[in-house]
Amino acid sequence: MYKNLAATLVAACFFSPAFSQTTPAKGSVTEPVKAGFVYVSPITEAGWTRQHDEGRKAVEAALGNHVKTTFVENVAEGADAERVIRDLAATGHQIIFTPSFGYMEPTLKVAQDYPQVKFESITGYKTTPNVAAANARYYEGRYLAGIAAGRMSKTGVAGFVAGFPIPEVLQGINAFTLGMRSVNPQATVKVVWLNVWFDPPKERDAAMALFNQDVDVIAFHTGSTAVMAAAQERGKMAVAYHSDMRKTGPDAQIVAVTHQWGAYYTERVRAVQNGTWKSANLWGGVREGMIRVGDFGTRVPAAVQQEVLNAQKAVGAGKLQPFRAGKAPVRDNEGQERIAAGQALSDAQILQMNWLVEGVVGKVSR
């Protein structure tokens, strides 16, 4: 997760188009690769950290005895993160994954002292010869979920419980709104800012407040299952984020936007094993298999499910771009034109997003 507005300073970054599987090379390391993982919250049954731990387990499943993984959970960003990352580097871990934006600077600091260790800054954007960065195009999944929400909502009013008003979150809110309005041009999305990533009671309260304002379907960019649980309690609908949350909201969940890290993590550990690891900066989405929409709830008609899945195929093929305008320009919710008719935002423009699209009820604090 991004943690501050420094994430907008990415214009000079270059993103690899995809990653691919490789096979062990001759003369590769035969001893198990020691891979470390640092998590910003506890490992819960669903959510941000759960998805990254599923990625770690996928590495173990793919590489077996050729890898030994270690993880440390609930590590605060800042000094605590630096201490944990440094300890992993000092104890022989050859590659260390740090999946939280606030880990970027601590990762870079430790990497300077351990040039032989490889580091993977997940959601970071700064790279060095021994620090790679990677992130996912979450907004692609948000757009697809918006289609489902637009079809399912009876009031045409959705809610969005959001952590911080930073580019990654703004991308998600805007894409979700554009997805909804692609099937219901009058749809609106009401946003509540929490200024925290993980606070289940606060997340629940925000959801409940939105349900009292004609909202019948809700999305969220927070770290727990609290919003989904609130939707289940109130008999409303919700879009799961990070993980499938049907266990929490068996009647509430209409669709889930999930990010898949197993293939990427496995490839990067295998590259250390082969001696082929190189620093890179990847921004992968549906096409790369890093973002997936599915896990539909039972109340979603087959026709709506198929519409969303067809749109997902179009996104993966590059035929559908969430931030491409049609015959009419895309404006923000203050009336300013942001995407000219027939044009699309560049990656740099998406990564620096600091506005809310028309249809969103809310403001960006600047």
Side-chain angles (χ1 to χ4, degrees), residues 165-179:
I166 53 157
E168 180 184 311
V169 181
L170 296 171
Q171 293 161 20
I173 295 169
N174 289 342
F176 179 74
T177 304
L178 288 168

PDB file of all heavy atoms in Angstrom, residues 165-179:
ATOM      1  N   PRO A 165      -6.052   9.586   0.704  1.00  0.00           N
ATOM      2  CA  PRO A 165      -6.266  10.131  -0.646  1.00  0.00           C
ATOM      3  C   PRO A 165      -4.975  10.215  -1.446  1.00  0.00           C
ATOM      4  O   PRO A 165      -4.479  11.286  -1.766  1.00  0.00           O
ATOM      5  CB  PRO A 165      -6.854  11.520  -0.365  1.00  0.00           C
ATOM      6  CG  PRO A 165      -6.233  11.921   0.929  1.00  0.00           C
ATOM      7  CD  PRO A 165      -6.112  10.647   1.737  1.00  0.00           C
ATOM      8  N   ILE A 166      -4.430   9.065  -1.782  1.00  0.00           N
ATOM      9  CA  ILE A 166      -3.181   8.976  -2.525  1.00  0.00           C
ATOM     10  C   ILE A 166      -3.463   8.365  -3.905  1.00  0.00           C
ATOM     11  O   ILE A 166      -4.561   7.837  -4.127  1.00  0.00           O
ATOM     12  CB  ILE A 166      -2.152   8.140  -1.747  1.00  0.00           C
ATOM     13  CG1 ILE A 166      -2.766   6.802  -1.392  1.00  0.00           C
ATOM     14  CG2 ILE A 166      -1.711   8.857  -0.480  1.00  0.00           C
ATOM     15  CD1 ILE A 166      -1.758   5.750  -1.146  1.00  0.00           C
ATOM     16  N   PRO A 167      -2.537   8.433  -4.841  1.00  0.00           N
ATOM     17  CA  PRO A 167      -2.830   7.999  -6.218  1.00  0.00           C
ATOM     18  C   PRO A 167      -3.436   6.604  -6.349  1.00  0.00           C
ATOM     19  O   PRO A 167      -4.417   6.435  -7.081  1.00  0.00           O
ATOM     20  CB  PRO A 167      -1.457   8.080  -6.890  1.00  0.00           C
ATOM     21  CG  PRO A 167      -0.783   9.207  -6.183  1.00  0.00           C
ATOM     22  CD  PRO A 167      -1.203   9.067  -4.741  1.00  0.00           C
ATOM     23  N   GLU A 168      -2.881   5.616  -5.666  1.00  0.00           N
ATOM     24  CA  GLU A 168      -3.402   4.257  -5.804  1.00  0.00           C
ATOM     25  C   GLU A 168      -4.872   4.174  -5.422  1.00  0.00           C
ATOM     26  O   GLU A 168      -5.671   3.495  -6.071  1.00  0.00           O
ATOM     27  CB  GLU A 168      -2.578   3.307  -4.934  1.00  0.00           C
ATOM     28  CG  GLU A 168      -3.024   1.860  -5.004  1.00  0.00           C
ATOM     29  CD  GLU A 168      -2.247   0.981  -4.057  1.00  0.00           C
ATOM     30  OE1 GLU A 168      -0.990   1.061  -4.050  1.00  0.00           O
ATOM     31  OE2 GLU A 168      -2.876   0.222  -3.302  1.00  0.00           O
ATOM     32  N   VAL A 169      -5.250   4.867  -4.362  1.00  0.00           N
ATOM     33  CA  VAL A 169      -6.636   4.844  -3.902  1.00  0.00           C
ATOM     34  C   VAL A 169      -7.530   5.658  -4.831  1.00  0.00           C
ATOM     35  O   VAL A 169      -8.646   5.238  -5.171  1.00  0.00           O
ATOM     36  CB  VAL A 169      -6.726   5.369  -2.457  1.00  0.00           C
ATOM     37  CG1 VAL A 169      -8.170   5.329  -1.964  1.00  0.00           C
ATOM     38  CG2 VAL A 169      -5.835   4.548  -1.527  1.00  0.00           C
ATOM     39  N   LEU A 170      -7.053   6.813  -5.269  1.00  0.00           N
ATOM     40  CA  LEU A 170      -7.822   7.642  -6.189  1.00  0.00           C
ATOM     41  C   LEU A 170      -8.054   6.922  -7.512  1.00  0.00           C
ATOM     42  O   LEU A 170      -9.142   7.014  -8.104  1.00  0.00           O
ATOM     43  CB  LEU A 170      -7.105   8.971  -6.415  1.00  0.00           C
ATOM     44  CG  LEU A 170      -6.964   9.861  -5.160  1.00  0.00           C
ATOM     45  CD1 LEU A 170      -6.051  11.043  -5.446  1.00  0.00           C
ATOM     46  CD2 LEU A 170      -8.327  10.343  -4.686  1.00  0.00           C
ATOM     47  N   GLN A 171      -7.044   6.207  -7.980  1.00  0.00           N
ATOM     48  CA  GLN A 171      -7.207   5.406  -9.193  1.00  0.00           C
ATOM     49  C   GLN A 171      -8.366   4.428  -9.023  1.00  0.00           C
ATOM     50  O   GLN A 171      -9.201   4.250  -9.921  1.00  0.00           O
ATOM     51  CB  GLN A 171      -5.936   4.612  -9.488  1.00  0.00           C
ATOM     52  CG  GLN A 171      -4.714   5.428  -9.869  1.00  0.00           C
ATOM     53  CD  GLN A 171      -3.431   4.628  -9.677  1.00  0.00           C
ATOM     54  OE1 GLN A 171      -3.446   3.397  -9.614  1.00  0.00           O
ATOM     55  NE2 GLN A 171      -2.310   5.319  -9.569  1.00  0.00           N
ATOM     56  N   GLY A 172      -8.397   3.769  -7.864  1.00  0.00           N
ATOM     57  CA  GLY A 172      -9.425   2.772  -7.606  1.00  0.00           C
ATOM     58  C   GLY A 172     -10.816   3.362  -7.531  1.00  0.00           C
ATOM     59  O   GLY A 172     -11.771   2.824  -8.114  1.00  0.00           O
ATOM     60  N   ILE A 173     -10.953   4.470  -6.825  1.00  0.00           N
ATOM     61  CA  ILE A 173     -12.257   5.125  -6.719  1.00  0.00           C
ATOM     62  C   ILE A 173     -12.739   5.577  -8.095  1.00  0.00           C
ATOM     63  O   ILE A 173     -13.905   5.360  -8.466  1.00  0.00           O
ATOM     64  CB  ILE A 173     -12.176   6.327  -5.763  1.00  0.00           C
ATOM     65  CG1 ILE A 173     -11.862   5.857  -4.336  1.00  0.00           C
ATOM     66  CG2 ILE A 173     -13.469   7.131  -5.791  1.00  0.00           C
ATOM     67  CD1 ILE A 173     -11.506   6.987  -3.386  1.00  0.00           C
ATOM     68  N   ASN A 174     -11.852   6.197  -8.846  1.00  0.00           N
ATOM     69  CA  ASN A 174     -12.233   6.703 -10.175  1.00  0.00           C
ATOM     70  C   ASN A 174     -12.584   5.576 -11.135  1.00  0.00           C
ATOM     71  O   ASN A 174     -13.562   5.654 -11.886  1.00  0.00           O
ATOM     72  CB  ASN A 174     -11.114   7.568 -10.742  1.00  0.00           C
ATOM     73  CG  ASN A 174     -10.983   8.893 -10.021  1.00  0.00           C
ATOM     74  OD1 ASN A 174     -11.900   9.325  -9.325  1.00  0.00           O
ATOM     75  ND2 ASN A 174      -9.839   9.544 -10.170  1.00  0.00           N
ATOM     76  N   ALA A 175     -11.779   4.523 -11.138  1.00  0.00           N
ATOM     77  CA  ALA A 175     -12.060   3.405 -12.039  1.00  0.00           C
ATOM     78  C   ALA A 175     -13.368   2.718 -11.660  1.00  0.00           C
ATOM     79  O   ALA A 175     -14.162   2.347 -12.540  1.00  0.00           O
ATOM     80  CB  ALA A 175     -10.901   2.407 -11.998  1.00  0.00           C
ATOM     81  N   PHE A 176     -13.596   2.547 -10.366  1.00  0.00           N
ATOM     82  CA  PHE A 176     -14.843   1.939  -9.898  1.00  0.00           C
ATOM     83  C   PHE A 176     -16.046   2.769 -10.356  1.00  0.00           C
ATOM     84  O   PHE A 176     -17.043   2.230 -10.857  1.00  0.00           O
ATOM     85  CB  PHE A 176     -14.807   1.832  -8.375  1.00  0.00           C
ATOM     86  CG  PHE A 176     -16.044   1.243  -7.765  1.00  0.00           C
ATOM     87  CD1 PHE A 176     -16.317  -0.110  -7.855  1.00  0.00           C
ATOM     88  CD2 PHE A 176     -16.946   2.048  -7.075  1.00  0.00           C
ATOM     89  CE1 PHE A 176     -17.468  -0.651  -7.285  1.00  0.00           C
ATOM     90  CE2 PHE A 176     -18.090   1.526  -6.499  1.00  0.00           C
ATOM     91  CZ  PHE A 176     -18.354   0.167  -6.602  1.00  0.00           C
ATOM     92  N   THR A 177     -15.933   4.084 -10.210  1.00  0.00           N
ATOM     93  CA  THR A 177     -17.025   4.978 -10.617  1.00  0.00           C
ATOM     94  C   THR A 177     -17.241   4.921 -12.126  1.00  0.00           C
ATOM     95  O   THR A 177     -18.388   4.852 -12.601  1.00  0.00           O
ATOM     96  CB  THR A 177     -16.715   6.422 -10.184  1.00  0.00           C
ATOM     97  OG1 THR A 177     -16.473   6.445  -8.764  1.00  0.00           O
ATOM     98  CG2 THR A 177     -17.864   7.351 -10.518  1.00  0.00           C
ATOM     99  N   LEU A 178     -16.163   4.943 -12.900  1.00  0.00           N
ATOM    100  CA  LEU A 178     -16.288   4.865 -14.359  1.00  0.00           C
ATOM    101  C   LEU A 178     -16.899   3.534 -14.780  1.00  0.00           C
ATOM    102  O   LEU A 178     -17.689   3.477 -15.735  1.00  0.00           O
ATOM    103  CB  LEU A 178     -14.919   5.056 -15.004  1.00  0.00           C
ATOM    104  CG  LEU A 178     -14.355   6.480 -14.940  1.00  0.00           C
ATOM    105  CD1 LEU A 178     -12.878   6.487 -15.341  1.00  0.00           C
ATOM    106  CD2 LEU A 178     -15.161   7.426 -15.841  1.00  0.00           C
ATOM    107  N   GLY A 179     -16.542   2.457 -14.080  1.00  0.00           N
ATOM    108  CA  GLY A 179     -17.144   1.160 -14.367  1.00  0.00           C
ATOM    109  C   GLY A 179     -18.633   1.162 -14.100  1.00  0.00           C
ATOM    110  O   GLY A 179     -19.437   0.674 -14.909  1.00  0.00           O
TER     111      GLY A 179
END
